[in-house]
Amino acid sequence: MNIETTIGKLNYNEIQQKFPAELDLIGLVKFGEVFDEQLEKDFEILKDCEITDNPILLHCNLESTVGLKASIFIHGKLESITLEVMEPCELYNNFCFSRVRCNFNIFSEETVDKIKRNFQTLQFIENLVSLMDQSKGGGEPKSKKNKPIVSTDYEILNLSVFKNSSKDSTEDKLFPSLASCINLKDTRTKIPLKVDAMSILYKKTKVNGLYDILIESICRALRLIEQSLVEQLMENNNISIPTTYHFAPPAFGHFLACVYLDGISDNDLAMQQKRKKLHHHFGLPITKPFFRRANQYIFKTDMKVESPLLNTHIGLSPVELKMGKYYYYHYMQQSFNDNGWGCAYRSLQTLCSWFNLQGYSEKSVPTHEEIQKYLVEIGDKPKTFINSKQWIGSTEVSMCLNGFLNVDSKILHVSSGGDLSSKGSELALHFETQGTPIMIGGGVLAHTILGIDFNSQTGDIKFLILDPHYTESEDLSIIQGKGWCGWKGPDFWDKKSYYNLCMPQRPIMY
């Protein structure tokens, strides 16, 4: 069965508005054989493209060892062109993203025509906005000695929007309350719009060219919101508050925006179909989530002050890890003293945060008390276990993952710390296929293994360890500098203790 006949195709406008401003759809990627008669049908998706009349084709022949080839489609035929690939560090050093956030109210009757008319008015946003105040957020810290450093992510410029004052405008304040849609005394509804717009910027862009780019980013965000509201009206004849989410799947190299309506669950059938279209269009597997709400990109300016640190391993090593995101949970966090007994609880919390941040779950990370109560409920522990300082191990961690998140785990047993090196191939396969952090318990200690560096020819192995026994403040320089998150050799493990490894398995979902 052709998957396109069951889920449909995204059209050009549906895709284009999801991209940051200055990022445009100008071609396709094809895998397998390419036939000229099929190409014209494939390029139909670009018929509304205003950027180019000659789209690009990136082609990978699955039966050949030759890498990606590039062609340009001219007069119904393909002509080969030179392909140049930019390394991620080049992108990070030469480009950045801007993020503009502002709020509008629109007052409209709940009909498709009226909604479209109101949004057409908002497209003339340059008449409403006069000033944008720039403040930097995200990106890499500057070196104290002003030495160039290697960027590992894009710099994000956060911009504030100010509204032109107008005697004629009293209703559409730029920063309204975003509590709910309000039915007015007349036939109109007050609909709060929370605009969250992005653009990709070449760092040498002239200031006089920046304004138009930022305006276009807001217009794209408004068009995306309009699409969502119109679609809901046509399907359900009602309106919910739209919220914009930004996603940055690992293989993309850029952001992608989606607008989801409040009150509609990610598990709703219509939401699943929308995500399936996105997975299909961008060639992403439907065995793991990329566009659930929990997958949204976490901007540094949006992180809560009391939040644990995110991905504390970044910058430690050039070894590439396919591990996703996690929060570093350790002793003494959340004003809770578990020093000396709570290391496995903290490792479990780190694992739960990984499943949340990868979009597999929206449940909150369980507390020590919730963990203990669950183990009592299933009959694994006596009632006296609740509010105690008793340890848990890999088996209890696997039980909790199943109970809280419906996640199965594989338990790997090794008779001593010295035997862990012999499990290099098995651990490498786990991180390649599952990618989940591993909780390991042995003796009286528990740790989290984030990844390994394994040489299958020599058997040499290093473990990237996240140590939950850390008790100080959320200071990354201390955590990395003193080895609380760092690479450890085989000697790190106690040769006199046996170890059990809880290896969570990814659920199949999207």
Side-chain angles (χ1 to χ4, degrees):
M1 178 182 292
N2 185 349
I3 190 171
E4 292 177 358
T5 63
T6 60
I7 65 172
K9 287 185 178 181
L10 291 168
N11 63 43
Y12 174 80
N13 287 322
E14 286 177 321
I15 301 166
Q16 185 65 38
Q17 309 311 326
K18 295 179 182 294
F19 289 153
E22 293 294 280
L23 189 67
D24 298 287
L25 181 65
I26 61 167
L28 302 173
V29 179
K30 291 283 288 184
F31 297 92
E33 290 187 80
V34 174
F35 301 99
D36 288 346
E37 59 271 18
Q38 180 62 34
L39 278 178
E40 292 198 35
K41 292 182 180 179
D42 291 335
F43 280 122
E44 272 290 304
I45 196 172
L46 298 172
K47 65 181 180 181
D48 296 324
C49 178
E50 298 177 355
I51 302 299
T52 180
D53 293 325
N54 304 117
I56 302 294
L57 175 70
L58 298 180
H59 173 225
C60 182
N61 192 334
L62 299 180
E63 297 179 356
S64 171
T65 57
V66 179
L68 207 61
K69 294 181 179 179
S71 304
I72 189 168
F73 196 63
I74 301 178
H75 305 306
K77 293 184 179 181
L78 289 175
E79 292 185 10
S80 296
I81 57 175
T82 303
L83 174 68
E84 184 176 344
V85 178
M86 291 186 72
E87 295 297 326
C89 61
E90 293 181 82
L91 288 171
Y92 303 149
N93 288 329
N94 289 285
F95 294 88
C96 64
F97 281 91
S98 69
R99 187 186 185 199
V100 178
R101 286 177 289 178
C102 54
N103 299 335
F104 295 96
N105 282 331
I106 65 170
F107 299 82
S108 174
E109 295 178 19
E110 293 188 19
T111 67
V112 171
D113 289 341
K114 293 294 184 181
I115 289 290
K116 287 184 175 181
R117 187 174 301 173
N118 276 279
F119 271 90
Q120 284 176 354
T121 302
L122 283 179
Q123 298 301 311
F124 297 100
I125 192 170
E126 61 268 22
N127 297 326
L128 300 175
V129 175
S130 61
L131 177 64
M132 298 192 178
D133 180 36
Q134 178 175 314
S135 60
K136 290 188 177 182
E140 296 299 313
K142 300 293 183 182
S143 170
K144 292 182 179 180
K145 297 182 180 180
N146 295 321
K147 292 182 179 180
I149 57 176
V150 178
S151 296
T152 58
D153 203 351
Y154 287 107
E155 185 177 17
I156 308 293
L157 304 178
N158 290 286
L159 304 166
S160 300
V161 179
F162 294 87
K163 180 177 178 294
N164 285 338
S165 59
S166 170
K167 295 180 181 179
D168 299 327
S169 178
T170 56
E171 292 183 319
D172 56 342
K173 293 181 180 179
L174 197 58
F175 296 97
S177 169
L178 293 175
S180 62
C181 295
I182 301 174
N183 292 320
L184 304 177
K185 291 182 179 180
D186 54 21
T187 58
R188 299 177 303 158
T189 298
K190 176 183 176 182
I191 307 170
L193 306 180
K194 192 172 184 179
V195 177
D196 193 338
M198 298 195 72
S199 56
I200 186 168
L201 304 171
Y202 182 50
K203 289 186 177 180
K204 294 183 180 180
T205 299
K206 301 294 183 182
V207 174
N208 57 6
L210 184 61
Y211 183 81
D212 289 340
I213 295 173
L214 299 177
I215 291 297
E216 171 59 20
S217 73
I218 297 176
C219 288
R220 285 193 183 187
L222 287 171
R223 294 183 200 115
L224 199 58
I225 293 172
E226 178 189 354
Q227 287 176 5
S228 182
L229 290 175
V230 167
E231 185 178 280
Q232 188 188 26
L233 272 174
M234 294 177 68
E235 292 178 357
N236 303 317
N237 201 32
N238 60 19
I239 286 180
S240 301
I241 294 180
T243 300
T244 302
Y245 297 87
H246 295 290
F247 302 96
F252 269 36
H254 61 80
F255 288 93
L256 188 84
C258 292
V259 171
Y260 297 148
L261 299 172
D262 291 3
I264 301 179
S265 167
D266 281 345
N267 295 322
D268 182 84
L269 182 59
M271 289 287 286
Q272 292 184 40
Q273 290 299 313
K274 287 180 181 179
R275 292 197 302 273
K276 185 180 281 189
K277 280 186 178 182
L278 288 172
H279 280 245
H280 172 56
H281 179 83
F282 291 107
L284 297 171
I286 57 172
T287 55
K288 61 179 69 173
F290 291 97
F291 302 110
R292 285 177 169 260
R293 287 177 172 91
N295 291 117
Q296 67 176 304
Y297 185 84
I298 301 174
F299 295 94
K300 291 184 179 180
T301 51
D302 293 344
M303 292 182 67
K304 298 178 181 178
V305 176
E306 67 275 11
S307 174
L309 291 179
L310 182 73
N311 283 27
T312 52
H313 71 284
I314 291 179
L316 281 175
S317 169
V319 177
E320 184 178 353
L321 299 173
K322 300 177 181 179
M323 61 181 310
K325 300 174 184 175
Y326 61 88
Y327 283 121
Y328 176 28
Y329 282 87
H330 57 78
Y331 280 167
M332 307 297 289
Q333 284 178 326
Q334 294 83 44
S335 302
F336 185 77
N337 186 354
D338 57 346
N339 193 354
W341 62 273
C343 51
Y345 294 81
R346 296 299 188 177
S347 182
L348 170 59
Q349 289 177 328
T350 293
L351 266 58
C352 289
S353 75
W354 186 94
F355 281 97
N356 285 351
L357 292 170
Q358 266 55 242
Y360 290 99
S361 172
E362 296 181 21
K363 294 182 179 179
S364 58
V365 172
T367 64
H368 293 59
E369 183 178 6
E370 289 170 338
I371 293 167
Q372 291 177 340
K373 284 183 176 179
Y374 174 73
L375 292 172
V376 170
E377 286 175 7
I378 63 174
D380 183 68
K381 303 292 183 186
K383 290 184 178 180
T384 55
F385 182 65
I386 299 175
N387 294 323
S388 72
K389 295 183 179 181
Q390 294 184 36
W391 303 333
I392 60 173
S394 301
T395 302
E396 289 90 344
V397 168
S398 68
M399 292 176 180
C400 289
L401 286 173
N402 185 266
F404 288 114
L405 305 180
N406 198 28
V407 167
D408 294 327
S409 300
K410 177 181 177 182
I411 300 294
L412 177 65
H413 175 79
V414 291
S415 56
S416 76
D419 291 339
L420 266 174
S421 297
S422 66
K423 302 298 182 181
S425 296
E426 195 165 348
L427 293 175
L429 180 63
H430 169 84
F431 286 113
E432 180 65 30
T433 58
Q434 302 298 324
T436 61
I438 295 173
M439 179 270 174
I440 177 171
V444 296
L445 301 176
H447 294 86
T448 306
I449 304 177
L450 298 175
I452 64 169
D453 182 11
F454 176 63
N455 187 320
S456 59
Q457 295 181 335
T458 64
D460 292 340
I461 187 170
K462 287 185 178 180
F463 304 84
L464 182 56
I465 301 299
L466 193 63
D467 194 334
H469 304 92
Y470 178 67
T471 59
E472 299 181 49
S473 62
E474 309 301 297
D475 189 326
L476 186 61
S477 61
I478 295 176
I479 292 167
Q480 291 188 349
K482 294 188 177 181
W484 296 102
C485 179
W487 289 97
K488 311 292 183 182
D491 292 340
F492 178 76
W493 310 109
D494 186 354
K495 292 181 174 59
K496 297 180 180 179
S497 297
Y498 69 86
Y499 287 86
N500 288 317
L501 288 75
C502 175
M503 305 164 67
Q505 308 295 294
R506 285 178 182 261
I508 296 176
M509 60 186 294
Y510 60 89

